Amino acid sequence: PRVTEESDRAVRYRQRAEEMRTIAAECKEPITARHLMQVAEDWEQLARSADRIGATNRALQRDRNSN
């Protein structure tokens, strides 16, 4: 995969998280709002994972290029 693919993915995940937070803020049902906030946190976790994968891939690419 492209080195920036994970970065692009992380950006999309963070955008989705922000969308969920916006919807949750407008939600009149507290339980639904809490669930939406949890979904937002799940998207954030996915973004952090994509960031870590991207960092690992960049390091591997640097290692390959230095050999």
Side-chain angles (χ1 to χ4, degrees):
R2 294 181 308 133
V3 172
T4 60
E5 184 176 329
E6 289 78 15
S7 250
D8 295 342
R9 192 172 294 143
V11 168
R12 285 193 312 273
Y13 292 163
R14 286 191 174 93
Q15 288 169 340
R16 289 181 180 156
E18 184 57 31
E19 290 170 10
M20 290 296 107
R21 285 190 288 272
T22 299
I23 293 168
E26 297 170 358
C27 186
K28 306 233 186 284
E29 293 293 327
I31 293 172
T32 302
R34 265 197 314 273
H35 286 287
L36 290 168
M37 291 301 288
Q38 182 57 56
V39 171
E41 179 54 31
D42 292 345
W43 281 117
E44 289 289 348
Q45 287 177 352
L46 287 169
R48 288 189 295 272
S49 292
D51 286 338
R52 285 191 300 273
I53 291 167
T56 300
N57 286 345
R58 285 187 298 278
L60 290 171
Q61 190 65 40
R62 280 192 304 273
D63 286 348
R64 282 188 211 122
N65 290 338
S66 67
N67 291 328

